[in-house]
Amino acid sequence: MQLTGSQRCAVFLLAMGEEVAADMLGNMQRQEVARIAGAMARLPHVPEREVRAILREARIFLETQADGICADRALAGRLLEHCLGEREARETMREWGPEEPARPFESLERMRPGQLYQLLRQEHPQTLALVLGHLSASRAAGLLMRLPTDMRSLLLEHIGGLAPVDADILDEVDSVLARQAAERSAQDWRPGLQMAAEIVAAAGKEEGRALLADLERHDSRLPSLLGRMVHCPEDCLKLEDGLLEEALEEMSGEALAGVLSTCGPAVRAALLEHVPEVRHPAIERRLRSGEPSTGQAAAYREDFLRCVRQLQAERMQADLDAAKAAGRRAGA
């Protein structure tokens, strides 16, 4: 992707955030500010690999911009006003032309696949297909992999047959889902399976076995499910369906280096195979610069395993929900 110097600068400032961007633009000449803000307002979508390349050139590696950078007209306007004043900012913004309409379901694009699943798991398949068909491929795939196998096939059939949808219908569905997402964001929800797994893990090795043995005597399904939960980084290497990659992607370089510092060479190399190569140089630099304290490394390790267990629980919960729904249909 070929970007101009102004566009590359705009990517950098968008990645750094408004406060840093305002400080940096405040030290530039007015003509430069107008040119960069204009590029920021009209920026095409810049994929993750390009964002990382730009930041790497500046000797900065940013792990939080998982889906690249898009234009931010509002931020560009505020930065212009901060640097040029309200009147001159308004005149400069007129040159940008009319604002492009927002893409449908933009608020959902910023959600993790697990969060999306919790929001959409009870929606009608046609609604799910409509949403999936308008999300980015990576977000749609992350959500699809949490659904039962037969549901995945059904949804792909629906998506393959999607016809153009009226903009008003898209806006209405988007508005309802955005409101539901906002309501959910205020809740600290964790899958029940994850909560049970954390309790068993916290009880200790022997006590945890005793708890699972008691459950088995009551013909519970929990022992078999909880037995699949990871307890160390080595366990994560057995995961399937991209779950390990998703967990590693959510970690900052510092946290990931802290986790790797607690692993032996073989496990460290195996985990790095699931990390995009573009991240390897920054992680290896962190590892060479010195290991974190024992307590900090242990905290990073536990946070990582907790994240993996949550992703596991979300997927297992999807299977349980599907089984319950199938049972209800069979009994109807």
Side-chain angles (χ1 to χ4, degrees):
M1 184 176 190
Q2 295 296 320
L3 297 176
T4 66
S6 296
Q7 287 175 322
R8 295 171 73 82
C9 187
V11 168
F12 177 83
L13 292 177
L14 283 167
M16 291 300 97
E18 184 168 352
E19 184 176 347
V20 174
D23 287 342
M24 296 186 70
L25 287 174
N27 295 318
M28 298 181 185
Q29 296 181 357
R30 289 172 177 261
Q31 189 175 12
E32 292 175 324
V33 171
R35 187 170 63 250
I36 294 168
M40 190 182 295
R42 296 189 292 261
L43 194 68
H45 178 78
V46 182
E48 175 194 4
R49 63 181 180 278
E50 186 72 19
V51 176
R52 294 188 185 280
I54 291 169
L55 295 172
R56 189 166 60 248
E57 289 174 6
R59 303 183 64 83
I60 295 173
F61 196 90
L62 187 72
E63 289 83 13
T64 56
Q65 300 294 338
D67 288 309
I69 290 290
C70 291
D72 192 331
R73 195 181 182 102
L75 172 58
R78 291 197 300 274
L79 290 172
L80 267 182
E81 188 172 338
H82 172 83
C83 298
L84 305 184
E86 183 178 351
R87 180 177 177 182
E88 192 165 346
R90 217 171 27 241
E91 293 175 356
T92 302
M93 290 168 66
R94 289 198 190 100
E95 300 174 5
W96 297 350
E99 186 171 3
E100 294 183 4
R103 292 173 53 199
F105 309 118
E106 276 191 292
S107 61
L108 303 188
E109 285 283 357
R110 295 188 287 272
M111 298 178 69
R112 290 193 304 103
Q115 294 173 313
L116 268 179
Y117 166 72
Q118 290 304 322
L119 176 66
L120 300 173
R121 64 194 179 101
Q122 294 182 335
E123 293 291 338
H124 190 279
Q126 289 183 337
T127 303
L128 270 174
L130 177 66
V131 174
L132 286 169
H134 289 83
L135 290 176
S136 64
S138 60
R139 279 289 179 268
L143 174 58
L144 197 67
M145 293 309 297
R146 279 167 172 71
L147 298 170
T149 304
D150 58 343
M151 178 64 79
R152 299 175 196 172
S153 304
L154 175 63
L155 287 174
L156 285 174
E157 286 287 344
H158 279 307
I159 293 169
L162 277 178
V165 181
D166 188 86
D168 290 340
I169 295 176
L170 284 176
D171 288 343
E172 184 177 351
V173 175
D174 190 9
S175 177
V176 171
L177 292 176
R179 185 174 65 253
Q180 293 175 354
E183 292 170 353
R184 281 184 173 272
S185 66
Q187 303 172 4
D188 182 22
W189 183 88
R190 288 180 297 166
L193 286 171
Q194 184 198 5
M195 296 172 68
E198 301 299 345
I199 291 170
V200 170
K205 191 172 183 179
E206 294 302 323
E207 291 80 357
R209 286 177 179 172
L211 285 170
L212 294 181
D214 288 339
L215 285 169
E216 286 178 350
R217 284 194 288 271
H218 289 85
D219 295 326
S220 171
R221 295 184 62 185
L222 273 179
S224 62
L225 295 174
L226 297 182
R228 291 157 56 189
M229 293 290 194
V230 300
H231 296 284
C232 62
E234 292 89 327
D235 293 341
C236 298
L237 298 175
K238 305 172 186 176
L239 299 172
E240 299 177 352
D241 287 341
L243 191 150
L244 176 56
E245 286 79 0
E246 183 179 342
L248 291 169
E249 184 179 345
E250 291 190 11
M251 301 189 69
S252 68
E254 179 182 356
L256 182 50
V259 173
L260 294 174
S261 71
T262 69
C263 302
V267 175
R268 180 185 299 184
L271 286 174
L272 276 172
E273 290 181 3
H274 296 269
V275 178
E277 287 189 11
V278 70
R279 297 187 66 187
H280 287 196
I283 293 169
E284 290 166 356
R285 281 198 302 271
R286 290 182 184 276
L287 288 169
R288 289 195 301 269
S289 66
E291 295 183 357
S293 66
T294 303
Q296 185 63 63
Y300 284 141
R301 178 187 174 107
E302 286 309 308
D303 286 345
F304 169 62
L305 293 174
R306 195 175 296 113
C307 173
V308 175
R309 285 194 288 264
Q310 178 173 343
L311 294 174
Q312 284 185 288
E314 288 171 351
R315 298 195 183 189
M316 290 179 190
Q317 194 70 56
D319 292 338
L320 290 175
D321 291 345
K324 290 177 182 177
R328 287 195 296 269
R329 289 195 297 269

